[in-house]
Amino acid sequence: MLSAATLQVGESGVVKDVGGTDATALRLLEMGLVEGTVVTLLKRAPTGDPLQFRVRGFHLSLRSAEAGRIELAGSGE
């Protein structure tokens, strides 16, 4: 599965789904990470966490575990 956590700096992807039904999944959806949204990885901290993304014109920092829940559409989809 291609997820936001697997992107390299400068790469973009299109959100396909956010995994889970808990409060974290709901919060990610509320922040605009809904199907069809383009996300771009801007920075990765030296330790690997957090990751900084551009989503709908704003910058969003997420832990790798949170970003791993964001499934991206593959290049063939």
Side-chain angles (χ1 to χ4, degrees):
M1 174 184 83
L2 181 63
S3 74
T6 62
L7 291 175
Q8 298 300 311
V9 174
E11 287 185 330
S12 298
V14 178
V15 176
K16 180 178 179 182
D17 189 29
V18 174
T21 58
D22 60 356
T24 301
L26 178 60
R27 186 67 183 135
L28 291 170
L29 292 168
E30 290 173 342
M31 288 189 283
L33 292 161
V34 296
E35 185 177 354
T37 301
V38 176
V39 296
T40 304
L41 181 61
L42 300 176
K43 296 179 187 175
R44 186 180 297 270
T47 58
D49 254 347
L51 309 173
Q52 185 179 34
F53 297 92
R54 181 174 41 244
V55 179
R56 298 181 178 261
F58 70 93
H59 290 197
L60 175 65
S61 292
L62 297 173
R63 294 180 186 99
S64 293
E66 295 165 340
R69 297 173 81 165
I70 304 166
E71 184 180 352
L72 303 177
S75 58
E77 296 180 38

